């Protein structure tokens, strides 16, 4: 892990570390057999590169993200470390987790009429050898190559582990469209490092983007919608700027993650102190609409968003009326599947809720 200095915000780092130690204390002791099953896996509808399809997602349990386990404590909103083992685990377990998920879902995949994107996440970095070794990666690639219905692959990694050698190896092993997902969160270095504590400079992201590009590998960029210490309006402005910049760089996919409150994180602490409210759906819609109206980006880049905890107090929500949130969730899903911005442009004939007035009054203060 790099020893670069990313921000002077030592106070935040100390606080994040305090919450991380709490997570470590609460960590269950995983039995050997639990390590042979992934944290979770599922199939659901999704947007493939140019059409509708299905996603097969597998969340692997590994040692955990080195950034979160290292001296910098990890990102201020991230509680993924809770699902990790903290110690290196035998790679045979990771292979067993993959086998288990495939065994359970293979028939469903083969019988489905639609094509699939396979997403393998490990709440850290696919290319970090401490989490997933080279031989395990090879094992996974061979497994995927045997299933022609899998047309796309997404894996995620911090830029620190993305090397020319690893990309070439992956590309040579698979004859499908591959995207490397990178948590950039915002194009603004200050917000990313001082508020999110991401430990990543934009120039390092540019280099990773370049490496993927020259190896004919797609780049999926995660943007964090409403990082801490930003109000709704500033969050919209930051995310619009980020979308436009990324479209200019010709990344392939922008995945917007509205912040959700995870356990034992600095954000959870701010949330309990009423100093942080997860974003409103109105803001997210406004942001995507604004970015797409400023430039014809949807022809160049696919924008997706599949918010965790949507409609709940801890996730993106409007008021707490069920129908209000359900309408927004449905509109967002329709936009993602079709890339048609009209699904996000509110029409009173479809649905309207009184909370819009409250939102408009508060958006610069909360
Ligand atoms: S958000 Fe990603 S990089 Fe940050 S601590 Fe979590 S897993 Fe690690
Ligand atoms: Zn409402």
């Amino acid at each position: 892990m790099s020893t670069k200095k990313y921000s002077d915000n030592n106070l935040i780092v100390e606080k994040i570390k305090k919450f991380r130690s709490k997570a470590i204390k609460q960590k269950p002791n995983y039995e050997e057999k639990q390590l042979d099953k992934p944290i979770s896996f599922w199939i659901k509808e999704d947007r493939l590169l140019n059409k509708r399809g299905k996603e097969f997602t597998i969340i692997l349990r590994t040692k955990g993200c080195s950034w979160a386990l290292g001296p910098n404590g990890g990102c201020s909103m991230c509680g993924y470390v809770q699902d990790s083992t903290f110690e290196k685990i035998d790679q045979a377990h990771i292979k067993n987790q993959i086998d288990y998920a495939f065994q359970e879902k293979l028939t469903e995949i083969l019988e489905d009429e639609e094509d699939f994107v396979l997403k393998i996440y490990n709440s850290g970095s696919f290319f970090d050898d401490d989490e997933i070794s080279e031989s395990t990666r090879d094992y996974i690639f061979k497994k995927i190559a045997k299933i022609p219905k899998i047309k796309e692959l997404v894996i995620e990694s911090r830029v620190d582990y993305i090397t020319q050698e690893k990309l070439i190896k992956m590309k040579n092993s698979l004859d499908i469209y591959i995207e490397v997902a990178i948590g950039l969160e915002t194009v603004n270095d200050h917000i990313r490092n001082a508020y999110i504590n991401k430990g990543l400079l934009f120039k390092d992201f540019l280099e990773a983007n370049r490496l993927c590009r020259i190896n004919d590998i797609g780049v999926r960029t995660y943007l964090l919608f409403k990082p801490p210490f930003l109000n709704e309006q500033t969050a919209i402005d930051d995310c619009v700027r980020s979308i436009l910049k990324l479209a200019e760089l010709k990344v392939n996919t922008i995945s917007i993650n509205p912040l959700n409150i995870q356990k034992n994180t600095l954000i959870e602490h701010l949330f309990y102190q009423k100093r942080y409210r997860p974003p409103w759906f109105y803001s997210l819609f406004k942001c995507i609409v604004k970015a797409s109206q400023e430039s014809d980006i949807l022809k160049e880049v696919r924008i997706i968003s599949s918010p965790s905890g949507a409609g709940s107090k801890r996730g993106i929500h409007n008021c707490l009326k069920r129908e209000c949130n359900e309408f927004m969730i449905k509109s967002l899903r329709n936009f993602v599947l079709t890339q048609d911005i009209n699904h996000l442009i509110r029409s009173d004939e479809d649905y309207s809720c009184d909370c819009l007035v409250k939102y408009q009054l508060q958006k610069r203060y909360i």
Side-chain angles (χ1 to χ4, degrees), residues 1-202:
M1 180 60 57
S2 152
T3 51
K4 265 186 228 164
K5 184 136 179 73
Y6 297 96
S7 130
D8 287 324
N9 212 338
N10 292 333
L11 196 67
I12 289 210
V13 172
E14 287 316 309
K15 286 232 176 235
I16 291 173
K17 280 160 78 175
K18 193 178 111 195
F19 295 111
R20 189 194 56 192
S21 348
K22 214 167 140 194
I24 293 176
K25 275 194 206 129
Q26 291 176 5
K27 176 187 90 77
N29 280 323
Y30 296 105
E31 288 173 30
E32 288 280 305
K33 61 174 193 265
Q34 282 177 287
L35 299 178
D36 288 331
K37 289 185 188 171
I39 295 174
S40 63
F41 55 97
W42 63 82
I43 285 176
K44 70 172 173 67
E45 56 178 3
D46 196 12
R47 174 84 194 178
L48 302 197
L49 202 53
N50 298 310
K51 59 177 183 184
R52 292 169 82 126
K54 295 272 166 63
E55 67 167 43
F56 174 28
T57 299
I58 307 173
I59 316 272
L60 297 172
R61 193 182 311 279
T62 66
K63 175 192 168 213
C65 169
S66 302
W67 178 249
L69 297 174
N72 292 294
C75 304
S76 56
M77 73 301 188
C78 180
Y80 289 153
V81 82
Q82 303 250 136
D83 291 325
S84 311
T85 61
F86 296 64
E87 289 128 26
K88 242 177 157 170
I89 61 171
D90 194 321
Q91 289 293 311
H93 288 305
I94 314 272
K95 290 177 187 163
N96 291 344
Q97 291 179 31
I98 288 282
D99 287 349
Y100 185 87
F102 271 92
Q103 206 177 324
E104 292 286 304
K105 293 290 182 193
L106 191 58
T107 314
E108 201 178 324
I109 294 174
L110 297 178
E111 285 174 357
D112 202 296
E113 283 175 3
E114 289 182 302
D115 286 331
F116 278 74
V117 50
L118 172 66
K119 301 175 182 173
I120 300 181
Y121 299 149
N122 50 304
S123 310
S125 296
F126 185 78
F127 289 129
D128 178 353
D129 297 335
D130 270 359
E131 291 185 64
I132 299 180
S133 71
E134 189 178 348
S135 93
T136 305
R137 286 195 292 269
D138 287 347
Y139 181 84
I140 294 174
F141 298 150
K142 281 193 190 122
K143 190 124 200 157
I144 301 170
K146 286 189 200 138
I147 307 168
K149 278 188 77 76
I150 297 178
K151 305 285 188 205
E152 300 178 19
L153 169 69
V154 183
I155 53 94
E156 52 191 14
S157 182
R158 285 181 61 87
V159 301
D160 318 57
Y161 307 104
I162 300 175
T163 63
Q164 169 85 336
E165 197 196 341
K166 286 174 182 164
L167 293 177
I168 290 177
K169 193 133 197 238
M170 177 166 70
K171 188 73 194 168
N172 289 343
S173 312
L174 290 168
D175 195 16
I176 55 175
Y177 174 71
I178 306 171
E179 264 182 14
V180 173
I182 301 172
L184 176 69
E185 320 300 2
T186 161
V187 296
N188 183 306
D189 273 343
H190 180 72
I191 296 176
R192 188 183 328 98
N193 290 319
Y195 301 165
I196 305 175
N197 194 37
K198 190 81 199 182
L200 167 66
L201 296 173
F202 190 57

Side-chain angles (χ1 to χ4, degrees), residues 285 289 293 327 331 340-348 350:
F285 287 17
V289 171
Q293 283 170 345
F327 176 76
S331 306
D340 179 355
I341 202 74
N342 287 314
H343 289 291
L344 302 183
I345 299 173
R346 225 185 102 264
S347 141
D348 286 344
D350 297 331

Side-chain angles (χ1 to χ4, degrees), residues 280 282 317-325 328 351-356:
W280 291 70
Y282 295 128
H317 64 277
N318 281 350
C319 60
L320 285 171
K321 254 187 249 150
R322 212 164 107 206
E323 61 270 27
C324 178
N325 288 307
M328 304 307 270
Y351 181 80
S352 74
C353 181
D354 305 344
C355 68
L356 180 62

